Amino acid sequence: MPHALLATSAENSLPIWLVTENAWSTVSAQLPKAAQGFAKAQGFEGKAGSHCLLPDADGNLSGVAFGLPNGDAKQRDPFAVGKLPSVLPDGIYRFETEAPNPALATLAWLLGSYGFSRYRKRHEKSVRLVVPNGVDAEEVTRIADAVAASRDLVNTPTSDLGPDGIEAAARRIAERHGASFTSIVGDDLLKQNFPMIHAVGRASATPPRLIDFTWGKADAPRITLVGKGVAFDTGGLDIKPSSSMLLMRKDMGGAAATLALADMIMGAKLPVRLRVLIPAVENSISSNAFRPGDILDSRKGITVEIGNTDAEGRLILADALALADEESPDLIVDFATLTGAARVALGPELPPFYTDDDALAADIARHGAEQNDPVWRMPLWYPYQSQLDSKFADMNNTGGPMGGSITAALFLRRFVESAKAHVHFDIFAWNSATKPARPEGGEVQAARLMYALLKERYDL
């Protein structure tokens, strides 16, 4: 069995009845008297998210009832059962009543079992789920493991995960799958024409770098992933207030999502030629930090005036996107914790995405809904491009006071010309509060839906 949280045999397993309030009375009537009486005494009515441990006549655990929402499917959370691993006692369990989406329910079980224990001991429970009929345990496990590993990266503070740590994590994944790996570090970035990555990261004691690995046959469809790897963002000389720095460990969440998606693709051996580019920097403050008003060269030859040093993610992504575009790949996907404006518009749980490709946008929206990996298309509204005008350079790195997520996407779009398609995800990479299968802390957004999309397109 590929995962310690799953079981292949139902022997000695305990049933989980998934019920709604409307269905509870019918299910309850079929239970043994001891279980019926205990549930009634506990006041269990099948309310969504509630659970009841059901005893037998001797007081031993005989099963579990868990409440799902009434109403149509749009009101249901396919990850609802992800709450159970944290509240059930050790044991092996099975779904006695079929989950609305067994594959997502199994994934939720695995994701809900996640805990970050690097700095504090965590009680390791042995709560296992019998794999429901028709669920590909290997596939679900690959996805869950990739998400868990990337959650770990986002949760790790910069003291233990600087740009060099991001490189080490990427190298481990690349080497595990036999990918070809290189990294351009420090002043070599200038020699190889990545001036904006160098400028953003040069003030840190840990040199900036561009991580680059490739996998798959050279003649396969070319898919390139680009992830923002800002290990920590002080805001630079336009320094953030301290309250805004508290979560800046997650500013490499784009790199983490990219690595999760790459791990899924390579683990499934999708017939694509994959390239992963991660500009990894720390936006720090020192005597050599780049300044407001500086004008930077870029790999693409576009000069950029710095309107704000806290808009650094788009700068490092621009150099990486320019490199990605030089190969004219079939698809470029970039992930970045790019703007607070995206959170104002859509909140932390619904990342916006931007693309000019309507067919790709429709597929992204569909897979986001199917995989419970929600996203929302926002417009590349080209009239706003004038907000990026500069009097002294080809463009500024900041737009006006409104539409910040859109102008950031428009900035990136200037560096992609030859790729057949490009999509940009402006993710949050963090759960502000615990929900089923989504514990508080680092999160991977949009990677699972893109894996499903690529699998549908290329795994024929």
Side-chain angles (χ1 to χ4, degrees), residues 74-194:
K74 291 182 180 179
Q75 297 176 352
R76 294 181 182 173
D77 179 4
F79 280 176
V81 298
K83 176 182 178 180
L84 287 171
S86 65
V87 298
L88 295 182
D90 290 356
I92 301 173
Y93 298 86
R94 69 181 187 275
F95 293 136
E96 187 69 12
T97 49
E98 185 174 338
N101 187 319
L104 285 183
T106 305
L107 178 62
W109 186 279
L110 300 182
L111 297 180
S113 302
Y114 171 84
F116 184 61
S117 57
R118 177 167 178 172
Y119 302 98
R120 185 173 65 180
K121 287 186 177 181
R122 175 175 177 262
H123 172 62
E124 295 294 335
K125 298 175 68 175
S126 179
V127 182
R128 303 173 66 191
L129 177 69
V130 177
V131 180
N133 291 334
V135 173
D136 185 339
E138 298 260 0
E139 170 86 344
V140 173
T141 295
R142 272 198 308 271
I143 294 170
D145 286 348
V147 170
S150 286
R151 283 175 172 176
D152 281 350
L153 293 177
V154 180
N155 284 325
T156 301
T158 312
S159 54
D160 287 320
L161 193 81
D164 51 349
I166 296 172
E167 178 184 339
R171 187 184 295 274
R172 286 193 298 270
I173 292 172
E175 290 180 349
R176 176 155 48 86
H177 294 288
S180 175
F181 187 96
T182 62
S183 181
I184 305 169
V185 181
D187 289 344
D188 285 344
L189 290 164
L190 294 176
K191 296 175 184 176
Q192 298 193 42
N193 194 25
F194 298 100

Side-chain angles (χ1 to χ4, degrees), residues 199-218:
V200 172
R202 69 191 183 203
S204 172
T206 305
R209 63 206 63 213
L210 177 62
I211 299 157
D212 184 353
F213 66 85
T214 57
W215 173 90
K217 295 181 178 179

